[in-house]
Amino acid sequence: IPLWYFADLPKVSSLMMEGFYEKKVIIMGQLMQLAELNRLQMNFSYGDTLHEMFVVIPKYGETSDIVGFCDVDGRPMSQKLKDTNKYPPRPYLSDLVVRKDWRRKGIASRLVKTSEVFVVESMGEERLFIRVEQDNQAAILMYNRMGYVPEDHPVFGVEDTTILLRRDLTNIAN
């Protein structure tokens, strides 16, 4: 799983549009894709050791497109953000998406495992959080199989339609 580059942002935002938004949103698709691209640009890690983005690009000859993506963020939050309780604890994995025609091939679990190793080896952390939509049963089942368990939170699952999951990473070797 290669690390990705700033020049890949448009491909990643296209993948996110396919994976996260329903067809009915396509009318405003270009505007939403620009918003996703802007969000990615604003959050680009620029070599920060507490924040990384990963992509999956298949073997040469299959496609040169990005078929999977995720973002791992362990940067400290400001006290003001912590006080709002509207953000997941860190480090957390977000925006995990796999292109529809590449799903069920182990790409999502590889991205999660790569993220877990990064969290342990680069951040020195012993747990990872993931926020997922409650109705995304396929993702929840995968996360459960990987050892993620629900974590109580005052916002997620209470004020929105997501749940927060956590995994203890103390058994992952450095």
Side-chain angles (χ1 to χ4, degrees):
I1 298 176
L3 301 178
W4 70 296
Y5 302 97
F6 194 84
D8 292 329
L9 288 171
K11 291 179 183 178
V12 172
S13 65
S14 293
L15 180 62
M16 292 172 73
M17 289 298 298
E18 174 191 317
F20 295 144
Y21 298 100
E22 296 179 23
K23 294 267 187 228
K24 64 183 178 186
V25 178
I26 298 305
I27 295 168
M28 305 241 339
Q30 288 181 331
L31 182 60
M32 293 186 76
Q33 186 169 351
L34 284 173
E36 284 293 349
L37 180 58
N38 182 58
R39 185 174 66 85
L40 289 167
Q41 289 172 333
M42 298 299 289
N43 284 310
F44 191 71
S45 64
Y46 294 104
D48 189 331
T49 59
L50 297 177
H51 182 218
E52 193 60 80
M53 297 175 173
F54 297 102
V55 295
V56 175
I57 301 172
K59 294 177 186 170
Y60 178 77
E62 292 183 50
T63 179
S64 62
D65 291 339
I66 293 170
V67 299
F69 169 81
C70 74
D71 184 353
V72 184
D73 195 346
R75 296 172 294 184
M77 284 187 284
S78 69
Q79 191 59 49
K80 184 177 180 180
L81 287 180
K82 283 182 189 177
D83 291 344
T84 67
N85 255 342
K86 294 191 179 204
Y87 297 91
R90 296 193 182 185
Y92 71 93
L93 185 149
S94 66
D95 297 326
L96 176 63
V97 62
V98 175
R99 202 170 83 182
K100 288 180 182 176
D101 58 331
W102 282 84
R103 291 182 183 167
R104 313 221 40 85
K105 296 181 183 199
I107 292 172
S109 58
R110 279 188 62 202
L111 283 164
V112 173
K113 289 176 187 174
T114 298
S115 299
E116 291 172 347
V117 170
F118 174 74
V119 164
V120 170
E121 292 181 358
S122 295
M123 295 182 188
E125 295 285 345
E126 296 181 343
R127 62 187 182 167
L128 180 61
F129 295 91
I130 299 174
R131 193 173 100 192
V132 62
E133 288 290 331
Q134 292 174 1
D135 64 356
N136 191 345
Q137 291 303 309
I140 292 170
L141 181 62
M142 179 193 73
Y143 295 137
N144 287 338
R145 281 194 304 251
M146 296 181 80
Y148 285 84
V149 296
E151 174 87 1
D152 288 334
H153 192 276
V155 173
F156 309 128
V158 177
E159 295 182 16
D160 69 6
T161 60
T162 65
I163 58 174
L164 185 66
L165 302 173
R166 180 199 83 250
R167 179 167 183 218
D168 177 14
L169 303 176
T170 55
N171 61 344
I172 293 181
N174 287 359

